[in-house]
Amino acid sequence: MRVARHLHRQGIPVVYLVAPQVWAWRRGRLKQMRRTLERVLCIFPFEEDFFRREGVRAVYIGHPLAGLVRPALTREEFSGNTLWPGTVH
């Protein structure tokens, strides 16, 4: 945020790609984000709603790798080969 704040003071619009995970921790950063950022480009669908509710201009653009990565196992194979907490095998 230091570089973003400096650029903003110079009159340069600042757009974040890959939003900081303030929804998970450091919610105090939201105030600074509202003042400094022109927009946040979100890669997770829930982030857009979160940031907008908090007064930060945001738009969901999707994850750039979502179409490239494919799971190696099916859901059934994954579930059958996984030890879950509390299970005994």
Side-chain angles (χ1 to χ4, degrees), residues 8-78:
H8 176 75
R9 288 180 187 150
Q10 301 299 314
I12 300 170
V14 180
V15 176
Y16 258 37
L17 173 61
V18 184
Q21 296 178 340
V22 294
W23 42 266
W25 51 77
R26 298 203 50 200
R27 291 177 74 97
R29 298 173 75 187
L30 288 166
K31 182 178 177 182
Q32 183 66 41
M33 290 176 74
R34 278 191 293 274
R35 285 194 309 246
T36 305
L37 302 179
E38 183 67 28
R39 184 142 347 257
V40 174
L41 304 178
C42 304
I43 62 173
F44 298 114
F46 69 89
E47 289 179 324
E48 180 180 24
D49 292 335
F50 170 81
F51 283 113
R52 285 184 174 194
R53 275 194 315 271
E54 297 295 335
V56 178
R57 292 173 300 275
V59 63
Y60 170 66
I61 61 167
H63 196 292
L65 300 178
L68 299 175
V69 178
R70 298 281 180 241
L73 301 174
T74 66
R75 207 176 274 276
E76 292 76 27
E77 290 170 329
F78 178 78

